[in-house]
């Protein structure tokens, strides 16, 4: 992400004279350089803003730079906010209002009116805060000294999300099937997703992929099998079945790359004409490399998965599907039929071949592993409420399998929902959360909320503080607000 840039804009005005403004610029440069060392993206001081014209020019630079993913704004001195109106109205990228200071302590023994004139963030930031509130501008407010580790970690989170938003604008999903017959929650308005989130979802007949598979050479297949041998344990002697999955993977990846840069993939176990097996191992390995995936025509989960994978640095993130409960231990078992990402593996994944009791195809090769334990993870679902999208974010705790499941040869994870099993499941159901989610052990609730806030998406959070009565009232209020 370091090739992505966030510009640092400092607010001031001409009132204080050249000498003060020179120090304001020097301080800003020093602060941005310090912050830059600790961010996943590049943070660069752009300018000190002293007039409406300067702010418009600065914002135009932010908008025009294709590597720039957002702007940090901070007021070193007072910066009358009417001069920010035109510029902020033009800003199209994520904004962070960093309420920080050059000094951390007040110099009690020497503080005088000159110091007050030069250092008045508490004064200037309030003027900016009012205007941002008045403009209803989406932004993240972060408070703290620029060397404070908590403030820096919040800022790093925001930078990651800003880069994720830029990535989201370019997300393309290739879909080899329409929605599974009769299934409701995987449906949705693709035009609205394109308008709101930038997601382009294209359909291709499965026959186009079958032609691509036929073009894959034995040499290419050998090379991918070599990669499998490094990453996984070959626990089958049915090499021909594994080779077939390797061919699917090579063909899908080439299809994605050559037909316009798709980062999300969608298939459907009921629409595999011309394929012998359901792509299992192939889809798992592709998710391992960072692709988003949605089964049964689910393009929303594929697109969300691609965005979350990007933000998570392609770690601990992928499709999950809530299958069955252990009501005694209060756990959810998540697995799909086959397509769980090896990013969730706690044990080295084994390539195995077994029958699949659905879809009527040959036995597919798949990766089999136990899922990781993680004290904090998120499960995220995007649903279409008819007049808007709703993003549901649940905090979960991934736990070690309480017992082995030798007769279930798939990848999976087990988790406890927050705040507790019964409240967490009930809240998810009241909110209309899907059985397909994207789970991430790398991303936090606040990062998902920041992402949604930029787009003005309705977001509901289920975490330690969720109380079911308040949660239900919030859903009713949302129907009024967004209705
Ligand atoms: Mn499903």
């Amino acid at each position: 992400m370091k090739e992505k840039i966030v510009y640092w804009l400092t607010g001031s005005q001409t009132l204080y004279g050249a000498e003060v403004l020179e120090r304001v610029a020097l301080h800003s440069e020093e602060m941005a350089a310090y912050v830059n060392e600790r961010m996943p993206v590049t943070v660069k001081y752009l300018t000190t803003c002293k007039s409406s014209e300067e702010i418009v020019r600065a914002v135009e630079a932010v908008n025009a730079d294709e590597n720039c993913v957002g702007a940090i704004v901070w007021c070193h001195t007072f910066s009358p906010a009417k001069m920010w109106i035109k510029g902020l109205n033009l800003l199209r990228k994520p904004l962070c209002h960093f309420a920080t200071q050059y000094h951390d302590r007040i110099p009690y023994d020497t503080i005088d009116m000159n110091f007050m004139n030069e250092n008045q963030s508490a004064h200037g930031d309030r003027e900016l805060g009012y205007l941002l509130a008045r403009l209803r501008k989406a932004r993240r407010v972060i408070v703290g000294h620029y060397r404070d580790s908590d403030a820096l970690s919040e800022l790093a989170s925001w930078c990651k999300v800003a880069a994720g938003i830029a990535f989201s604008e370019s997300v393309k999903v290739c879909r080899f099937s329409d929605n599974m017959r009769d299934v409701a929650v995987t449906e949705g308005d693709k035009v609205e997703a394109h308008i709101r989130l930038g997601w382009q979802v294209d359909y291709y007949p499965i026959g186009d992929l079958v032609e691509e598979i036929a073009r894959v050479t034995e040499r290419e297949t050998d090379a991918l099998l070599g990669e499998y041998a490094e990453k996984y344990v070959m626990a089958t002697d049915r090499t021909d079945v594994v080779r077939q999955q390797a061919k699917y993977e090579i063909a899908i990846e080439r299809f994605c790359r050559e037909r316009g840069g798709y980062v999300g993939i969608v298939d459907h176990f009921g629409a595999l004409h011309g394929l012998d097996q359901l792509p299992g191992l192939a889809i798992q390995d592709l998710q391992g490399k960072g692709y988003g995936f949605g089964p049964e025509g689910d393009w929303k989960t594929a697109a969300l998965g691609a965005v979350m994978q990007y933000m998570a640095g392609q770690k601990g993130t992928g499709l999950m599907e809530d299958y069955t409960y252990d009501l005694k231990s209060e756990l959810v078992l998540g697995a799909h039929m086959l397509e769980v990402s090896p990013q969730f593996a706690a044990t080295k994944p084994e390539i195995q071949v077994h029958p699949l009791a659905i879809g009527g195809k040959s036995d597919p090769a798949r990766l089999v592993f136990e899922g990781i334990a993680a004290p904090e993870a998120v499960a995220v679902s995007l649903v279409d409420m008819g007049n808007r999208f709703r993003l549901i974010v649940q905090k979960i705790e991934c736990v070690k399998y309480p017992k082995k499941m030798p007769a279930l040869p798939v990848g999976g994870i087990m988790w406890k929902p927050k705040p507790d099993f019964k409240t967490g499941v009930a809240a998810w159901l009241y909110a209309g959360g899907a059985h397909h989610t994207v789970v991430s052990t790398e991303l936090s609730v606040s990062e998902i909320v920041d992402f949604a806030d930029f787009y003005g998406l309705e977001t509901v959070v289920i975490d330690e503080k969720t109380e079911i009565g308040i949660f239900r009232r919030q859903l009713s209020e949302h129907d009024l607000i967004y209705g």
Side-chain angles (χ1 to χ4, degrees), residues 33-51:
Y34 183 90
V35 167
N36 174 48
E37 296 290 312
R38 287 146 187 90
M39 291 299 123
V41 303
T42 299
V43 174
K44 259 190 201 167
Y45 167 66
L46 185 65
T47 187
T48 299
C49 299
K50 304 177 293 296
S51 69

Side-chain angles (χ1 to χ4, degrees), residues 80-102:
K82 283 182 187 171
M83 67 167 75
W84 287 85
I85 292 173
K86 273 190 188 165
L88 289 173
N89 271 334
L90 292 173
L91 180 65
R92 293 195 307 269
K93 296 186 180 175
L95 174 68
C96 172
H97 183 179
F98 192 17
T100 189
Q101 280 187 161
Y102 183 65

Side-chain angles (χ1 to χ4, degrees), residues 20-32 45 48 102:
V20 168
L21 287 171
E22 209 171 290
R23 273 198 301 279
V24 166
L26 280 174
H27 291 168
S28 302
E29 225 161 310
E30 185 187 329
M31 293 163 78
Y45 167 66
T48 299
Y102 183 65

